[in-house]
Amino acid sequence: MADFIDSTAFNFEQGQRARKLFAAVVLAALDDAIADDKKYGNGPDQIARWARSRDGREVLSCSGIDPNERVVKGLMEFVSKGIRTSVALSREESERRNAMESDQAEAA
């Protein structure tokens, strides 16, 4: 019985590691699309094309993201903002965004 529990926990951990790996691929694709947007101006179209492709849908699914049209629109919107993923996920950016939202709420 203990062996079964250990193997189940091990398999779960391996699955979580794989999901994180695929999530990193999604973040890299976003960064590439942002770079394309700054260089060529077609970043949102590039990420939409990738997310709708077979490989893109597979990577999104493996990372735990449902590859539907709402997700594609969200990815396009993120790329159009032009904020790199490393910056967008940082604590400083989160605090700056929260401060801006609170300032706007107080002004209203």
Side-chain angles (χ1 to χ4, degrees):
M1 179 71 179
D3 291 338
F4 172 73
I5 293 171
D6 289 342
S7 66
T8 301
F10 178 76
N11 288 338
F12 177 76
E13 287 178 19
Q14 288 292 93
Q16 292 298 85
R17 286 188 200 116
R19 180 171 286 165
K20 286 181 183 179
L21 178 67
F22 281 105
V25 172
V26 172
L27 293 176
L30 285 168
D31 278 342
D32 289 346
I34 290 167
D36 281 352
D37 193 39
K38 289 181 180 178
K39 191 171 185 180
Y40 304 113
N42 64 349
D45 296 334
Q46 290 288 16
I47 197 69
R49 188 175 305 120
W50 175 79
R52 290 178 181 134
S53 72
R54 175 183 268 177
D55 290 338
R57 289 192 316 261
E58 186 74 20
V59 169
L60 288 170
S61 293
C62 289
S63 67
I65 301 170
D66 185 24
N68 57 35
E69 195 59 31
R70 182 175 176 213
V71 169
V72 173
K73 289 180 183 177
L75 292 172
M76 291 173 66
E77 182 179 323
F78 184 84
V79 169
S80 65
K81 288 181 182 177
I83 302 171
R84 299 197 63 77
T85 58
S86 58
V87 174
L89 296 173
S90 71
R91 177 177 292 149
E92 293 84 15
E93 178 67 18
S94 176
E95 290 172 354
R96 185 188 68 78
R97 239 183 280 131
N98 288 337
M100 282 180 44
E101 289 174 0
S102 67
D103 289 344
Q104 290 175 353
E106 289 174 2

